[in-house]
Amino acid sequence: MARLRTAALVAAYVIALVAALATLPTMLALTAALLLTILLVLADALGNRILFKMAVRNVVRRPGTTALVLAGLMVGTAIISATLVVGDTFDSMIVGEVTDAYGEADLFIGGPGSGDGMYNLSDVASMTEQLRGIDHVGSAEWFLRASAGIRNQQSQLSLPTASVYGLTDGAVTGLGGFLSANGSTIDAVPTAGRIYVNEDLASLLDISVGDVISLSAVSGSENIVMDLTVEAVVTDHALGGLLGGRNVYMDLASAQQLIGREDGVNALAVAFDGSARASPNATRNAVMNVLEAPENVPLELEITGDRALDIEEGRESVSMFISLFFVFGAFSIIAGIVLIVNIFTMLGEERKSEMGMARAVGMQRGHLRKLFVYEGFVYALATSAIGSAVGLVLAYGLITAVGMVLDMGGLNIAEYFTFTPESLLIAYLAGFLLTMVSIYGVTRRISNMNIVRAIRNIPEPLRSRGDKQVFRYGALILAGGAALMLAGMSAESLGPSLGGLSTMTMSLGLVLRRFAGDRIAWTIAGLATLLPWMPGVEIFPYEGNIEMFVLAGVFMVTALLTVVMFNSDPLVSAITRLLRVKGGYKAVLKTASTYPLRSKGRTAMSMFIFGLVIFTITTLSMMSGMLGAGIPKMIEETSGGFDIIAFSWAPVDMWNEINASAGFVDPADIEDIVQLTMGGPTFTVLPSMAPGMEEPRQFGYNAIGVTPQLYERGHYPLSEWDRTLYPTEEDVWLAIQNDPSLVVLDGSARPADMSGAGISINVGPFSGIAWETR
Amino acid sequence: MAIIRCENLTKTYRTGTITVEALRGIDLTIDKGEMVAIMGPSGCGKTTLLNCLSGIDDATSGKIFIEDRELTAMNDNEKTNFRAARMGFVFQFYNLLPVLTAVENAELPLLIAGTPSDEARKRALELIDAVGLSHRATQRPASLSGGERQRVTIARALANTPAIVWADEPTGDLDKRTSDEIVALMRRLNKENGQTFVIVTHDPEVGAKCDRIIHMRDGNIANLNGKVSEVSAEIRQLG
Ligand SMILES: Nc1ncnc2c1ncn2[C@@H]1O[C@H](COP(=O)(O)OP(=O)(O)OP(=O)(O)O)[C@@H](O)[C@H]1O
Ligand SMILES: [Mg+2]
């Protein structure tokens, strides 16, 4: 009767579950799966009310225990939830940044044009029409992007370069429009003589609406300066965040005038509709086809920016961080599972005799298991919810900490803190599942105990040496490990190969105990498992990823623990002898070690948790040590040893400026000032100058006039130069002083295709490339 | 008519290298409605015999029949259901589940056997009343005295109107007066309901109240119909 009921319930559950998973969208399906599972347990409990009653009372039996169990069970869920939320946040940051930089555009297209990247609108009109004709292409609009020096006449603040965009109304709507700082949307280009600036620029130069701004750009040999009035300050989102810079927006004609190129444009923004944005491949290919059509080939246009690819790349670049997080998360989750198992084993031990009694008066093994499953269910329902919430808080703390520690180019990840309901639901489900599965595993052991031994509270005897079942299990695990290893080897994948091998060596304990006894068998198994993970030992010549770290931790800790646990008696006596413990202390040590060694399983589990924690802390501190060593060096290199680096538009006397700016820096604290002249011209690099480069290219550089003071007071390490001509860095600096045809180039501005003999590269602004024009 | 029968029952305990032959080939019959005491010196195997006969422990060899059904041939679930339906248990300690009240403990075997809950509650309250504990029905075991706990245990043991009640030193932890009350209670229930009682005891007074004494020595039956005086003399001497 009861059996039939259970069978019917389970059948109904499975059918409903399959139906839900097959028909509903993922999130609903997961929710349905959770609700169905809860319903299943509740329906089952309804048929076993007395068991459910006992389970609930067991939960609240002792507040201390309850708190411990709750905390232990929470760990796993909290870590999962935190990991997912951190992932969400990174994702929202990447998508957010890319979205700001692209506005509504999906592709940016540009080309060499007449050598400077410029096209006449009339020349590209028909090709643009072709693009507009492509399915799912929403708009294709040309605009002009240039750089110019900028100064706010009101605040007197200036920057050597800002990006200037010349837009048409079509381009404004095509790129998603502006959002003004006060929240209204702006869909039109400013009228001639007026500009918009984005918040990034506005905050740097103290710009407010109505200010007059001077822009200066070089056109041929001429320097054009324009005074323009700020009509609006726009947020750094949508068009306001275009290509992620400090931006000025004006009408196309004015921008063309600024750089002296009538009818000139140099960038094409192509926007896809919603469906193509979600899966852009086909539409992107269609765009490529147009660019490569015979009539368009002479234009030499190419895709210079791709929203989808940028998002993908961004995700890849943070995947390192996420996988690091995953490793520690995985350790915590494994430790959490062991903790759950340990807690419930402990609860089982504690209630052993009453459970034996319950069995004597007619409770079946299944009933006992249900008793624990119900108890676990009540715990899981509560802890998964708390755990998901705690994970959220944890993630917020982490993100805030990361935001404070890591300055990602003025980008604060904390602003992007976000989470999706999916993540919380998945964390809840995973926590729920982990708890239930761990508990179910434990209940098997509890329910299989011998009634009399349980009532009397005497431990179950160890499986005898000759036990065939143990041997068979061992052989089975050995075979499983071998299969995993072979699969790993055929896929040339390190994880499964080494994992399989270690599973095999661990299973030796179960297999060999029949012939050699527990101690020798497990010692062999432990040592054999430890061996492949030792530094310097390489068994499989494959590349491994970060998951190897998790495997290493788990197997090394397990193997080491196995060896220690099975040799605890000789170890204790060795320690006793080593410490020359005498008399009373000997008894204390004996007693102290007897209790943990009596229930080896539980002690081993507790030690496993400690082991993992220590493994994690050790590697973490090693890594942070390595990172930490790099940071001061980086600061030293990029600052050149100077404490303050300031720019000014007008040639001014720095001493006067500092004396005038009361409260900023006390002049008494200033040791020395190095003044340099800087300008923002555009360099044209000709192929003859850069081996490997086929077309002349233009770059907007800041040109800095170097005085001997710069390298005498400060130190900007140079990376590579012709050492036969200039033996020391000093000689390089001297050479550029003496020979106006020599420059030192900054590594970060290196064009990708400028490489070859005599030119080499270093990372970091101001570190140099010796650049010979001869 | 025999309700309990065993043939050549042996039980050997193995712990590591030590083996203890606790039962060395027991042949035994107990009739329906009998109230039997199993007595003998400490360590002679009384508890082991009771555990094997009731099916909560497995014999090493031999056959056990209860109500003509072979217990030794049943699987764990069959044995468990059989216990739930036909047997009641009273041990010396740890009898009650601490999270359940007296009446809930008493009704537990009924609920496990699938009796509707209101029916089970009614029967449990009757039994609690019969053992004289109506006023303590909703207390948990922790707040009951030793004697009260044993009475609740007896109420539970009788809940499913079992054919056999097994009791292992039911009075071992009680003072003389309470012990007398408990034995009198069992005797009365045995007379009224015709249920079979098998009681393991050290106490000659308990033995004296039973229909028959099975005298054990060293894992064997010394006398299937022993005398209180003989057994108590032996217990005094050895145990
Ligand atoms: N779980 C066990 N493992 C090993 N030996 C056991 C176990 N249980 C009982 N024994 C041994 O079996 C023998 C019989 O024990 P049992 O408990 O049946 O004796 P008893 O007659 O009930 O004694 P007591 O009057 O002290 O309760 C004893 O020698 C005892 O040491
Ligand atoms: Mg005994």
Side-chain angles (χ1 to χ4, degrees):
Chain A
M1 182 46 209
R3 212 164 249 249
L4 219 82
R5 195 170 168 281
T6 311
L9 256 179
V10 170
Y13 171 73
V14 170
I15 292 169
L17 194 66
V18 170
L21 293 179
T23 57
L24 295 172
T26 322
M27 282 331 289
L28 277 181
L30 288 179
T31 316
L34 177 67
L35 290 180
L36 280 172
T37 309
I38 293 174
L39 272 182
L40 173 75
V41 177
L42 286 180
D44 189 54
L46 214 63
N48 295 286
R49 253 174 276 181
I50 180 72
L51 293 181
F52 195 71
K53 193 196 288 183
M54 287 170 68
V56 172
R57 289 196 193 162
N58 272 331
V59 168
V60 294
R61 192 162 165 179
R62 262 189 265 144
T65 314
T66 310
L68 183 75
V69 175
L70 282 173
L73 296 182
M74 224 175 57
V75 172
T77 319
I79 298 288
I80 295 172
S81 141
T83 311
L84 293 175
V85 172
V86 168
D88 285 347
T89 302
F90 270 99
D91 209 60
S92 105
M93 178 181 81
I94 289 157
V95 174
E97 285 297 311
V98 173
T99 304
D100 286 346
Y102 276 80
E104 276 301 306
D106 288 277
L107 299 176
F108 287 118
I109 292 171
S114 48
D116 54 2
M118 287 289 176
Y119 293 89
N120 288 332
L121 257 181
S122 47
D123 295 342
V124 289
S126 86
M127 170 265 164
T128 311
E129 277 314 310
Q130 287 174 14
L131 286 182
R132 289 184 181 133
I134 296 173
D135 267 359
H136 300 300
V137 165
S139 67
E141 297 288 344
W142 283 92
F143 60 93
L144 178 64
R145 182 188 191 213
S147 47
I150 180 167
R151 181 161 71 117
N152 180 359
Q153 295 189 356
Q154 267 65 37
S155 66
Q156 292 291 319
L157 294 171
S158 65
L159 270 182
T161 46
S163 299
V164 175
Y165 291 92
L167 303 168
T168 58
D169 279 335
V172 171
T173 39
L175 285 168
F178 296 99
L179 197 65
S180 82
N182 62 29
S184 58
T185 49
I186 304 173
D187 278 344
V189 169
T191 49
R194 302 192 144 249
I195 54 170
Y196 305 147
V197 297
N198 68 359
E199 280 179 333
D200 198 357
L201 182 64
S203 70
L204 269 171
L205 300 187
D206 250 348
I207 299 176
S208 41
V209 175
D211 286 359
V212 176
I213 300 294
S214 300
L215 289 175
S216 95
V218 182
S219 149
S221 56
E222 232 185 312
N223 194 22
I224 300 180
V225 177
M226 285 174 119
D227 288 345
L228 301 146
T229 309
V230 176
E231 176 160 323
V233 174
V234 295
T235 62
D236 295 337
H237 301 294
L239 246 184
L242 198 59
L243 299 171
R246 292 150 189 173
N247 300 344
V248 177
Y249 304 88
M250 61 178 77
D251 66 286
L252 183 56
S254 304
Q256 288 165 340
Q257 216 180 314
L258 179 69
I259 61 160
R261 270 299 301 258
E262 223 171 290
D263 206 24
V265 286
N266 59 2
L268 171 62
V270 178
F272 297 168
D273 66 11
S275 69
R277 180 158 301 164
S279 46
N281 286 344
T283 316
R284 182 196 295 126
N285 286 342
V287 170
M288 295 284 282
N289 288 343
V290 169
L291 298 186
E292 284 159 14
E295 69 274 20
N296 295 331
V297 165
L299 294 172
E300 294 187 66
L301 284 163
E302 56 186 37
I303 294 177
T304 53
D306 187 321
R307 173 200 290 263
L309 286 183
D310 277 5
I311 290 180
E312 209 172 287
E313 269 171 25
R315 283 184 177 143
E316 256 165 45
S317 67
V318 296
S319 72
M320 176 64 199
F321 182 83
I322 299 275
S323 52
L324 206 68
F325 201 73
F326 158 81
V327 169
F328 299 119
F331 278 142
S332 320
I333 290 165
I334 293 170
I337 292 174
V338 177
L339 191 65
I340 297 172
V341 171
N342 213 352
I343 287 171
F344 273 82
T345 310
M346 192 185 75
L347 287 183
E349 289 288 327
E350 206 177 87
R351 303 185 195 146
K352 206 163 147 183
S353 67
E354 64 194 73
M355 287 192 302
M357 186 60 61
R359 287 273 286 122
V361 302
M363 266 201 203
Q364 296 178 355
R365 292 191 171 146
H367 288 136
L368 280 193
R369 229 174 285 158
K370 280 188 176 167
L371 196 59
F372 268 88
V373 168
Y374 294 160
E375 185 174 349
F377 170 78
V378 174
Y379 274 124
L381 274 184
T383 54
S384 305
I386 306 171
S388 305
V390 168
L392 195 62
V393 176
L394 206 68
Y396 184 77
L398 260 168
I399 293 286
T400 316
V402 167
M404 285 193 295
V405 172
L406 291 183
D407 175 22
M408 299 186 251
L411 174 74
N412 189 0
I413 182 161
E415 282 168 21
Y416 282 99
F417 177 78
T418 191
F419 62 91
T420 54
E422 280 92 335
S423 293
L424 290 191
L425 187 62
I426 289 171
Y428 187 93
L429 272 171
F432 188 82
L433 214 73
L434 274 184
T435 308
M436 293 303 277
V437 169
S438 312
I439 290 171
Y440 194 77
V442 177
T443 62
R444 290 202 70 84
R445 218 196 92 172
I446 293 171
S447 67
N448 280 343
M449 69 196 173
N450 170 286
I451 299 174
V452 174
R453 278 196 289 267
I455 295 177
R456 288 222 201 146
N457 215 346
I458 42 186
E460 294 285 305
L462 292 172
R463 296 283 194 145
S464 75
R465 226 171 116 159
D467 194 302
K468 289 212 179 70
Q469 206 185 3
V470 172
F471 182 76
R472 273 200 296 268
Y473 272 132
L476 210 69
I477 297 173
L478 188 73
L484 186 65
M485 185 178 80
L486 290 177
M489 284 166 74
S490 73
E492 304 211 340
S493 164
L494 191 56
S497 307
L498 215 46
L501 179 68
S502 297
T503 310
M504 283 170 73
T505 49
M506 264 333 274
S507 72
L508 285 181
L510 294 173
V511 176
L512 292 181
R513 70 194 287 275
R514 193 165 174 196
F515 311 105
D518 272 316
R519 203 180 115 199
I520 295 174
W522 286 110
T523 307
I524 292 174
L527 292 178
T529 306
L530 217 47
L531 189 70
W533 298 99
M534 288 289 114
V537 179
E538 193 193 73
I539 293 179
F540 303 101
Y542 317 133
E543 283 286 307
N545 284 325
I546 192 107
E547 80 275 358
M548 294 315 295
F549 197 73
V550 181
L551 285 181
V554 170
F555 278 115
M556 284 169 80
V557 172
T558 311
L560 206 63
L561 254 181
T562 309
V563 175
V564 170
M565 289 313 287
F566 280 95
N567 291 284
S568 52
D569 294 340
L571 273 177
V572 168
S573 75
I575 292 170
T576 317
R577 243 176 295 134
L578 206 70
L579 299 176
R580 295 216 183 76
V581 185
K582 284 199 193 104
Y585 289 109
K586 202 166 187 162
V588 171
L589 193 70
K590 193 101 201 151
T591 328
S593 62
T594 303
Y595 279 102
L597 291 177
R598 200 170 52 177
S599 53
K600 284 195 176 171
R602 260 196 288 159
T603 307
M605 282 194 276
S606 310
M607 284 175 65
F608 182 81
I609 298 172
F610 281 125
L612 272 191
V613 170
I614 288 170
F615 184 86
T616 313
I617 291 175
T618 313
T619 38
L620 195 67
S621 61
M622 260 166 57
M623 282 157 85
S624 82
M626 269 146 54
L627 279 178
I631 290 170
K633 186 163 173 269
M634 196 176 80
I635 292 173
E636 180 68 28
E637 282 184 7
T638 52
S639 69
F642 292 104
D643 292 305
I644 297 170
I645 297 172
F647 300 93
S648 164
W649 171 263
V652 288
D653 183 330
M654 287 286 180
W655 281 114
N656 286 342
E657 291 287 305
I658 285 164
N659 284 330
S661 62
F664 175 53
V665 190
D666 186 343
D669 290 339
I670 295 177
E671 219 173 85
D672 203 352
I673 287 182
V674 177
Q675 292 206 54
L676 301 172
T677 317
M678 186 160 95
T682 314
F683 286 93
T684 304
V685 180
L686 299 170
S688 59
M689 299 157 84
M693 200 172 82
E694 284 163 11
E695 298 289 337
R697 292 193 66 162
Q698 267 201 333
F699 307 99
Y701 277 120
N702 287 324
I704 303 171
V706 175
T707 65
Q709 271 183 303
L710 177 72
Y711 54 85
E712 279 161 11
R713 289 294 317 182
H715 178 64
Y716 290 102
L718 298 178
S719 150
E720 292 272 336
W721 62 93
D722 191 337
R723 282 166 212 266
T724 53
L725 283 173
Y726 316 108
T728 64
E729 290 187 11
E730 180 93 31
D731 295 327
V732 176
W733 293 115
L734 274 175
I736 65 166
Q737 298 279 311
N738 299 330
D739 184 346
S741 69
L742 291 180
V743 291
V744 171
L745 270 195
D746 153 358
S748 69
R750 174 189 72 91
D753 44 3
M754 243 168 36
S755 60
I759 303 157
S760 41
I761 296 102
N762 182 26
V763 279
F766 293 108
S767 20
I769 298 170
W771 176 261
E772 276 202 77
T773 52
R774 278 178 237 159
Chain B
M1 206 196 63
I3 187 168
I4 302 163
R5 185 158 58 88
C6 71
E7 294 167 3
N8 199 18
L9 195 67
T10 71
K11 172 76 180 177
T12 311
Y13 291 110
R14 280 202 186 80
T15 25
T17 50
I18 307 161
T19 14
V20 180
E21 286 185 52
L23 301 178
R24 305 166 183 247
I26 306 270
D27 292 294
L28 176 77
T29 317
I30 295 172
D31 282 336
K32 191 170 186 310
E34 259 194 301
M35 180 151 160
V36 182
I38 300 177
M39 297 185 75
S42 182
C44 70
K46 305 180 293 289
T47 298
T48 307
L49 178 63
L50 193 83
N51 290 344
C52 289
L53 289 177
S54 61
I56 62 173
D57 206 353
D58 295 318
T60 306
S61 72
K63 285 183 175 175
I64 300 167
F65 296 89
I66 309 281
E67 296 188 306
D68 291 327
R69 292 188 56 191
E70 190 183 344
L71 195 71
T72 34
M74 294 181 189
N75 69 22
D76 188 77
N77 272 354
E78 286 169 339
K79 266 192 285 195
T80 306
N81 291 342
F82 191 55
R83 278 201 305 275
R86 307 301 298 154
M87 300 175 185
F89 287 85
V90 182
F91 296 97
Q92 186 175 354
F93 313 108
Y94 312 123
N95 274 298
L96 302 174
L97 296 177
V99 289
L100 298 181
T101 62
V103 62
E104 284 166 347
N105 262 292
E107 70 185 355
L108 182 65
L110 291 165
L111 293 175
I112 292 172
T115 313
S117 56
D118 43 351
E119 212 174 292
R121 179 53 60 97
K122 193 163 153 265
R123 168 111 182 107
L125 282 172
E126 277 169 24
L127 285 163
I128 292 284
D129 193 36
V131 298
L133 273 183
S134 321
H135 60 296
R136 311 285 282 160
T138 55
Q139 300 286 317
R140 294 216 187 160
S143 55
L144 296 176
S145 74
E148 286 170 336
R149 279 184 224 167
Q150 283 313 64
R151 284 195 243 176
V152 176
T153 308
I154 290 169
R156 182 191 67 193
L158 297 170
N160 49 13
T161 41
I164 307 166
V165 175
W166 308 98
D168 192 352
E169 317 246 10
T171 60
D173 211 23
L174 305 176
D175 61 35
K176 182 164 174 344
R177 215 188 87 216
T178 324
S179 162
D180 286 347
E181 277 173 24
I182 295 288
V183 176
L185 176 66
M186 291 200 280
R187 186 79 250 194
R188 197 187 86 216
L189 293 164
N190 160 259
K191 286 262 162 62
E192 283 172 7
N193 306 332
Q195 284 158 320
T196 308
F197 277 74
V198 181
I199 303 167
V200 168
T201 184
H202 275 103
D203 186 345
E205 291 193 32
V206 176
K209 298 237 171 61
C210 292
D211 298 328
R212 173 156 72 109
I213 291 168
I214 295 175
H215 182 175
M216 283 187 74
R217 186 189 297 143
D218 266 346
N220 282 308
I221 305 268
N223 192 342
L224 273 171
N225 202 348
K227 291 196 177 59
V228 177
S229 55
E230 278 173 21
V231 185
S232 0
E234 192 174 324
I235 293 175
R236 264 197 303 278
Q237 239 176 29
L238 297 169

